[in-house]
Amino acid sequence: MMRDEYLVECNIDDDDEDDYDEDYDVKKIQPSPPPPPQFSSTPSLAHVEIRDPCGVNKHLKVEFSDVLAEPESTHSYDRVWVYSGIAFESTRLWVYRCLTALCAVPLSCLCGCLFALLACMHIWCVMPCIQVCHTCLPCVRSLWMSVVNIFITPFCTSVARCCSGIYVMVSKE
């Protein structure tokens, strides 16, 4: 008998009337959906717009209202508030663009070199050391077990036999 956890529910749609053309009595061909962007031969512009797909920099989404706010009791002129918001947003945008124009390419090269160095060290130094340890550990383990069986086990057995004759009696006086 098969348990319920192995059973799968399949919905069967017997409603095929919509797929037939009444005039020709031929089934219409449904267009296939486009392939995912990673399998598409033409680069899509939507893929370029997603620059933080993993949400690494969610904490940097700062707006004017996150930084500056006026309480109800104190308000400046409406035009001053609006122009301050415009100045904040445009200054933040243009200073970021200027800094990235100056620093993005050199820092990208530096980060690329750093990650290449880390990958090289991991591939050519760290993993071979780990593999050597994994290879040598069975030999070290058998040597350690021999030392334990030769020296420590007889000592512990002797102490246990000496202490096995000791009885402790608890009495109320």
Side-chain angles (χ1 to χ4, degrees):
M1 178 136 232
M2 187 176 283
R3 294 190 303 196
D4 289 341
E5 64 187 34
Y6 296 112
L7 297 177
V8 177
E9 181 180 339
C10 297
N11 293 330
I12 299 174
D13 188 17
D14 291 334
D15 212 11
D16 288 339
E17 290 90 23
D18 297 339
D19 293 341
Y20 287 98
D21 193 359
E22 294 175 6
D23 295 336
Y24 297 108
D25 196 30
V26 177
K27 190 172 183 176
K28 292 180 184 178
I29 298 174
Q30 299 288 337
S32 62
Q38 63 266 26
F39 299 117
S40 178
S41 59
T42 58
S44 65
L45 294 176
H47 185 64
V48 175
E49 293 300 320
I50 302 172
R51 296 187 182 181
D52 189 10
C54 297
V56 175
N57 293 316
K58 288 180 182 177
H59 60 283
L60 293 178
K61 293 180 182 177
V62 179
E63 295 180 3
F64 179 70
S65 61
D66 295 333
V67 178
L68 298 171
E70 288 182 335
E72 288 293 325
S73 61
T74 308
H75 277 203
S76 62
Y77 296 113
D78 289 337
R79 293 283 180 202
V80 171
W81 185 253
V82 170
Y83 292 142
S84 298
I86 293 170
F88 175 84
E89 292 296 331
S90 59
T91 304
R92 181 177 62 93
L93 178 68
W94 282 104
V95 168
Y96 176 76
R97 286 181 179 171
C98 293
L99 287 174
T100 54
L102 294 173
C103 301
V105 174
L107 285 176
S108 296
C109 291
L110 183 66
C111 288
C113 290
L114 176 67
F115 284 113
L117 178 68
L118 288 174
C120 181
M121 294 296 294
H122 184 75
I123 291 168
W124 294 102
C125 295
V126 174
M127 285 310 293
C129 290
I130 290 173
Q131 289 301 328
V132 166
C133 289
H134 282 287
T135 304
C136 292
L137 279 180
C139 299
V140 171
R141 182 175 181 255
S142 64
L143 180 67
W144 178 251
M145 291 301 292
S146 298
V147 168
V148 166
N149 288 333
I150 291 171
F151 296 108
I152 299 175
T153 303
F155 175 74
C156 290
T157 305
S158 299
V159 170
R161 285 190 179 174
C162 290
C163 294
S164 66
I166 299 174
Y167 293 103
V168 177
M169 293 178 50
V170 179
S171 63
K172 291 184 179 180
E173 289 188 37

